[in-house]
Amino acid sequence: MLPTSLIAHPDHAVVWHDNQLYLLDQRELPHTITFIMCNSGAAVATAIRDMVVRGAPAIGVAVAYAVVLAARERLLNTTNDWREHLNEDFALLAAARPTAVNLFWALKRMREFIATLDHVDPLPALLAEAQRIHAEDIAANQTLGALGAALIDTPTAIITHCNAGALATGGYGTALGVVRSAFAAGNIRCVYADETRPWLQGSRLTAWELHESGIPVTVQADVAAASLMARGDVGWVIVGADRIAANGDVCNKIGTYGLAILARHHGVKFMVAAPLSTVDLDTPNGAAIPIEERAADEVLCCGGQRVAPAGVAARNPVFDVTPAALVDYIVTECGVIAQPDAAKLHALYQTAPIAMD
Ligand SMILES: CSC[C@@H](O)[C@@H](O)C(=O)COP(=O)(O)O
C-alpha cells in the first residue's frame, strides 16, 4: 500500500519520502495517478522541463529538493570538492525552464545556505533547508489566501486561468488558496476554470483539484470569458504569477493578459495572488522577463491528434505579461497592494520577515 504521503491529493505535487523525491506526474492528470521517483538533480531538471511538475512555487520547491539529491550524488562520488561539482547541477537546474523566478530564487537560497555549511555531513542540514522552503511556501499560501479572500466581501463567481492551486505550489495554492479561503467564508458561488490551451492546466488540473476539494467548478473554453463577463455573472478574475517585475507587471500563463483587458472593460476586479518568492525586484519591468517558447506540437496537436494541416507552423509562447496598470490587487503573504507600482512593491519587500533579495 502507498504511504499516505503518496496518495492522490492536490497537496502532494512534491513529496519527500524515504530519502527520495516523488513528483505527482501532472501530465497524466486527471486520468492517471502516477508518482515519478527522482533520485538525482538531473532527473528533477528533466521532470521540470517535461512538465511532470509545473507551476512557479512547485518548481521552486522541487528545485530545493533537487539540490539535496545532487549534493548526495556528488558526496558519494567526489567527497572533497563536492561543492565545485555541484555547480554543474545548479547550471542544469537553472536551464530547466526560464520564466518562473521561483526556480532561480530557490537555487540562490540553497547556494547561499551551502556557503554557510561546515558540517562533516551536510546532507541533513541541506534537507532541512529544502523542507523549510517547502513549509514556508505552504504557510505563505495560507496567509495570502486569507488576505485575498478578505477582499471578496460578497458571494460571487470568479474566473481563474491555468492552475495556481496546490498542484502548482508546495500546497494549498495561491489563486486557488484565495478561492479555498473565500469558499470557506461562503463567498464563492462558482469557479469558472479557463481550459488553458494548449496544455489544459485549467480543465485537467484546476478542475480536478477543485472538484476533489468540493468547490463548485465549471470548465469553459478560454474564448468564453468575454461573454461570461458581459452577462455580469463574474465578480473577480483571480490568477497566480510566474514572475512579478519590480514595477508590478505580472507574467503568468499565456491568456492572462487578455483576461485582464476583458476584466477592466467589464468592471471585473483583477487579483494576482503570489508569494514574495515570485516577486523579482532585479527585473525592472515585464519586457525584461524571459518568455518561454515551447514546442509547436503542443499547439498543433490536441489529444494526440494533429489539429492543423501538415506543413503549417505554430507559435507557442507559454506566458504573457499583464501591465501593472491592469492589475487591481497583488496579494502576497506580507500584505496586499492595490494598484501596484514600483514604490509599493519595494515598500512591501521591506516588510518581509526574511531578507528576500
Ligand atoms: C501558483 S502557480 C502560478 C503560475 O505558475 C501558473 O499560473 C502558471 O502559469 C503555470 O504555468 P506552467 O506552464 O503550468 O508551469
Side-chain angles (χ1 to χ4, degrees), residues 39 125 275:
N39 57 12

Side-chain angles (χ1 to χ4, degrees), residues 185-216:
N187 281 336
I188 297 288
R189 277 197 286 108
C190 174
V191 178
Y192 290 97
D194 281 356
E195 64 177 349
T196 319
R197 273 281 288 156
W199 214 72
L200 304 179
Q201 288 94 332
S203 53
R204 295 189 308 102
L205 308 179
T206 294
W208 179 73
E209 180 171 338
L210 292 179
H211 191 64
E212 289 285 304
S213 306
I215 298 176

Side-chain angles (χ1 to χ4, degrees), residues 51 54-57 97 162 164 168-169 174 201 241-242 252-253 319:
M51 307 278 284
R54 33 64 52 199
R97 291 189 76 187
C162 194
T169 64
T174 54
Q201 288 94 332
D242 285 81
N252 191 49
K253 180 54 56 193
F319 299 103

